[in-house]
Amino acid sequence: MNDTKSILLVGVGGQGTILASKILSEGLARKGFDIKMSEIHGMSQRGGSVSTHVRYGSKVASPIVSEGEADVLVAFEKSEAVRWLGYLKKGGWLVVNNYEIKSLPVLTGLAEYPEQVTEQLNEAVENVKIFNATQIARELGNERAQNIVLLGALIKALEIEDIDWDSVIEQLMPAKVVELNKKALRAGIQQ
């Protein structure tokens, strides 16, 4: 029996998608899972799309999540959820940061930001959690912790709250932001 779970985290460069994936992978490794992770940066340094594939289970052959295979799709920006929606499998979970980052083509008038994104996502997906992780992180003291808020919501969707996530954060993050990120993780789990 294949017990492999596939997670796809997508966002815009600078949102912390890769860091969230590394924290997730470390926690899963501590629980004894075989993990494969692959990151695709695109034009991430310039605000372009970033995706990270994480697959875990008793034995994982490949890190790549194929279309229609993701058990959970986490979008750090809501238009990225629309762009990557085809990767979510039927019955999978969609976790979305209800936040807009306008791309360069949108800012220069060459393209338009998609309209009614949250409505489209709510209609298309049965298991969806849309909330403003950026605002939650801002209220905690630093909007850059949005990635950890989203990670908390992902942890809840995967039902892996029993891992000692605080110690993973302590290991992988600078001491000056550890407490903020522990709070961000708990806030995400509560969503």
Side-chain angles (χ1 to χ4, degrees), residues 85 88 90 94 118-128:
L85 193 57
L88 186 65
K90 187 168 177 55
L94 176 62
T118 55
E119 292 83 354
Q120 291 176 37
L121 295 171
N122 276 315
E123 287 178 20
V125 181
E126 181 181 335
N127 301 315
V128 62

Side-chain angles (χ1 to χ4, degrees), residues 8-66:
L8 184 60
L9 296 96
V10 299
V12 175
Q15 285 191 289
T17 310
I18 295 169
L19 176 59
S21 299
K22 288 179 178 175
I23 292 169
L24 174 66
S25 295
E26 175 63 25
L28 293 168
R30 289 183 182 192
K31 188 144 173 120
F33 290 109
D34 182 28
I35 299 123
K36 301 286 188 283
M37 181 178 127
S38 174
E39 49 196 71
I40 301 167
H41 298 271
M43 293 288 288
S44 62
Q45 307 313 19
R46 300 176 190 254
S49 187
V50 176
S51 67
T52 307
H53 302 237
V54 177
R55 299 186 72 227
Y56 73 96
S58 55
K59 182 70 178 146
V60 180
S62 165
I64 303 302
V65 178
S66 300

Side-chain angles (χ1 to χ4, degrees), residues 79-168:
S79 72
E80 292 294 313
V82 174
R83 181 188 321 228
W84 291 90
L85 193 57
Y87 283 78
L88 186 65
K89 75 181 191 184
K90 187 168 177 55
W93 269 96
L94 176 62
V95 176
V96 181
N97 185 8
N98 192 8
Y99 184 72
E100 291 181 13
I101 297 177
K102 295 192 167 63
S103 65
L104 190 57
V106 171
L107 292 172
T108 59
L110 296 173
E112 289 187 23
Y113 192 89
E115 293 182 16
Q116 300 181 317
V117 172
T118 55
E119 292 83 354
Q120 291 176 37
L121 295 171
N122 276 315
E123 287 178 20
V125 181
E126 181 181 335
N127 301 315
V128 62
K129 180 56 119 178
I130 301 173
F131 63 99
N132 193 326
T134 305
Q135 182 61 38
I136 292 169
R138 191 176 296 132
E139 290 168 3
L140 290 171
N142 189 335
E143 76 176 38
R144 293 187 66 196
Q146 67 186 335
N147 61 335
I148 307 303
V149 174
L150 288 163
L151 176 61
L154 169 60
I155 287 167
K156 182 176 182 178
L158 292 170
E159 300 178 350
I160 52 173
E161 299 101 315
D162 61 330
I163 294 171
D164 184 359
W165 294 106
D166 283 353
S167 71
V168 177

